[in-house]
Amino acid sequence: MSAAPPAPTGIVIGVPRETQPGEARVALVPEIAAKFAALGARILVERGAGQSAQFPDAAFKNVEFADAARVWAEADLLLKVQPLTPEEAGRLQAGAVHAGFMQPHNHLAAVRVLRDRNVTSFAMELVPRISRAQSMDALSSQAAIAGYKAVLIAANTLDRFFPMLTTAAGTIRPAQVLVIGVGVAGLQAIATARRLGAIVEAYDVRSATRDQVKSLGAKFIETGVTAEGAGGYARELTAEEKARQQEVLDARIAVADAVITTAGVPGRPAPRIVTRAVVERMKAGAVIVDILAENGGNCELTRAGETVQHGNVRIVGPVNLAAQLAYHASEMYARNLYNLLSPALKQGVLNFDWSDEVFAGTVLTHAGQVKHEPTAKLLASG
Ligand code: NAD
């Protein structure tokens, strides 16, 4: 008689269904579940967790399904997309590990619960922006999706073609698209608008983006203002710099058919770049898609989750664009999580090397402490 296979003893990776309205993504996809299992973990997924991202339960192999209560109670490592509520943080086992987007400055009450329950939490927003960590960078993977979707929304909203067309009914001139902010989302927006045949101009305060813009076949708008900040991010501009930037940009906004705004400054509300006054100078039928809508908007008239009609211009303020491409967004996000966490998982045991700058930089709470200095300060002052 052959011996029964040994009972699996590795950590339990728990994946609940996302519950925030409009959230269709899931933190684990079948491909990555198999990879975590190969490292000795047991996978416990809430029934139907992947359904809205087109990963039905049947697509997962070697995964156990359970109700939400069991997933939260048994997870040694809980993977999620949206930030934990304080109530969810309280459902985790004391001493468990958690990874997901956490937006700590907006979710201080949950951070407090995680700290007090000795949870080791990793905030995906904090993954250091170094070359080695690019494969773990969920802000980038999801921003690329937002840039792509924003252009599709613009094309769909505009009453004109994007490409130049030569038809029996005459020649159609290509649309003029302006992309403001050339980070990860902006670059994808430029590439997508180009693929659709538009003439694309782009602008960013970081002059390093000039060559990137040109390499995608778009024109870089020179305003004479540069604002390189720390860590490859932009800094806030002075009043004088803003005025100079505004004058040059306004002239370009006024002639665009579609404006895609993607300009962010980390930890700050979105800079106001498109004013009401310039919207009133825009062409009839022009469209603005403002992907910073949830963060206050780059356009003065943006309202998150709404399309505002101002005169002859429509301003679209989409929220959670990545969730609108849930299949690939989930796949990329799950890979980011795997690339971050798998170096710590061997034979079913999690062990973090805190001398690794990626773990040290991404950890939010550990051993009863808030490790991320700005969040610790916010908690102390609250
Ligand atoms: P982001 O979302 O913070 O901002 C988007 C863009 O808006 C940035 O390019 C920023 O310069 C620009 N911006 C800010 N204020 C502006 C203003 N007033 N006017 C015009 N543009 C303005 O940026 P992001 O997409 O997260 O990327 C920021 C940088 O980090 C980029 O250089 C990117 O290449 C780099 N990055 C590095 C890594 C890595 O090495 N692992 C990963 C991702 C991004």
Side-chain angles (χ1 to χ4, degrees), residues 24 54 63 70 75-76 107 140 175 190 263 279 298 318 322 338 350:
Q54 311 307 335
V63 162
R70 236 191 100 198
D76 299 302
H107 292 84
S140 288
I190 296 171
V279 170
N298 284 144
Y338 180 81
L350 261 183

Side-chain angles (χ1 to χ4, degrees), residues 32-84:
I32 300 302
K35 290 178 91 168
F36 273 127
L39 297 178
R42 290 178 287 155
I43 319 288
L44 191 60
V45 175
E46 183 179 343
R47 278 184 204 93
Q51 187 62 50
S52 54
Q54 311 307 335
F55 295 104
D57 290 353
F60 288 85
K61 307 285 175 243
N62 298 325
V63 162
E64 194 184 337
F65 290 94
D67 58 13
R70 236 191 100 198
V71 171
W72 284 96
E74 293 184 20
D76 299 302
L77 166 59
L78 187 115
L79 305 180
K80 211 173 167 301
V81 179
Q82 288 290 338
L84 299 183

Side-chain angles (χ1 to χ4, degrees), residues 150 178-181 185-186 189 253 259-264 271 273-274 288-293 297-299 302 316:
L178 170 60
V179 176
I180 301 177
I253 294 168
V259 178
I260 315 288
T261 63
T262 76
I273 299 171
V274 183
I288 298 171
V289 180
D290 188 346
I291 72 164
L292 270 291
N298 284 144
C299 173
T302 298
V316 188

Side-chain angles (χ1 to χ4, degrees), residues 128-131 133-134 137 140 143 180-185 203-206 209 212 231-235 237 245 262-266 271 273:
R129 297 200 122 173
I130 53 174
S131 314
Q134 279 185 18
D137 190 337
S140 288
I180 301 177
V182 186
V184 179
Y203 172 68
D204 194 294
V205 277
R206 293 182 300 112
T209 59
Q212 296 171 327
Y233 287 112
R235 63 170 169 81
L237 300 180
Q245 179 198 53
T262 76
V265 179
I273 299 171

Side-chain angles (χ1 to χ4, degrees), residues 78-109:
L78 187 115
L79 305 180
K80 211 173 167 301
V81 179
Q82 288 290 338
L84 299 183
T85 63
E87 192 268 331
E88 287 173 333
R91 293 168 85 179
L92 286 170
Q93 295 185 61
V97 179
H98 164 62
F101 283 122
M102 299 186 72
Q103 296 175 19
H105 55 289
N106 289 332
H107 292 84
L108 291 174

Side-chain angles (χ1 to χ4, degrees), residues 1 16 168 189 218 237 249 277 280:
M1 212 172 74
L237 300 180
L249 268 183
E280 290 170 358

Side-chain angles (χ1 to χ4, degrees), residues 5-256:
T9 53
I11 60 151
V12 172
I13 297 183
V15 184
R17 192 171 58 80
E18 298 292 323
T19 53
Q20 179 169 300
E23 183 52 79
R25 292 170 292 177
V26 61
L28 193 66
V29 300
E31 166 206 335
I32 300 302
K35 290 178 91 168
F36 273 127
L39 297 178
R42 290 178 287 155
I43 319 288
L44 191 60
V45 175
E46 183 179 343
R47 278 184 204 93
Q51 187 62 50
S52 54
Q54 311 307 335
F55 295 104
D57 290 353
F60 288 85
K61 307 285 175 243
N62 298 325
V63 162
E64 194 184 337
F65 290 94
D67 58 13
R70 236 191 100 198
V71 171
W72 284 96
E74 293 184 20
D76 299 302
L77 166 59
L78 187 115
L79 305 180
K80 211 173 167 301
V81 179
Q82 288 290 338
L84 299 183
T85 63
E87 192 268 331
E88 287 173 333
R91 293 168 85 179
L92 286 170
Q93 295 185 61
V97 179
H98 164 62
F101 283 122
M102 299 186 72
Q103 296 175 19
H105 55 289
N106 289 332
H107 292 84
L108 291 174
V111 177
R112 209 174 276 126
V113 177
L114 294 170
R115 176 196 65 192
D116 295 346
R117 293 181 68 76
N118 280 319
V119 171
T120 297
S121 59
F122 293 97
M124 294 308 281
E125 296 91 340
L126 300 181
V127 168
R129 297 200 122 173
I130 53 174
S131 314
R132 181 164 70 83
Q134 279 185 18
S135 65
M136 313 164 192
D137 190 337
L139 279 183
S140 288
S141 66
Q142 308 302 293
I145 293 169
Y148 167 78
K149 266 284 172 187
V151 171
L152 298 187
I153 291 171
N156 212 20
T157 308
L158 197 68
D159 304 311
R160 298 164 182 255
F161 278 112
F162 261 36
M164 187 182 95
L165 288 184
T166 308
T167 76
T171 299
I172 306 287
R173 287 173 55 184
Q176 183 85 38
V177 173
L178 170 60
V179 176
I180 301 177
V182 186
V184 179
L187 285 171
Q188 194 55 244
I190 296 171
T192 306
R194 289 282 302 139
R195 283 183 204 115
L196 284 175
I199 295 178
V200 184
E201 293 188 311
Y203 172 68
D204 194 294
V205 277
R206 293 182 300 112
S207 55
T209 59
R210 183 183 289 110
D211 289 345
Q212 296 171 327
V213 168
K214 287 184 184 162
S215 73
L216 290 170
K219 186 178 165 220
F220 186 79
I221 296 173
E222 306 283 353
T223 64
V225 176
T226 59
E228 262 78 15
Y233 287 112
R235 63 170 169 81
E236 268 200 303
L237 300 180
T238 65
E240 215 171 284
E241 286 170 329
K242 278 185 189 157
R244 169 88 193 112
Q245 179 198 53
Q246 198 68 54
E247 195 187 322
V248 178
L249 268 183
D250 281 3
R252 303 315 305 160
I253 294 168
V255 297

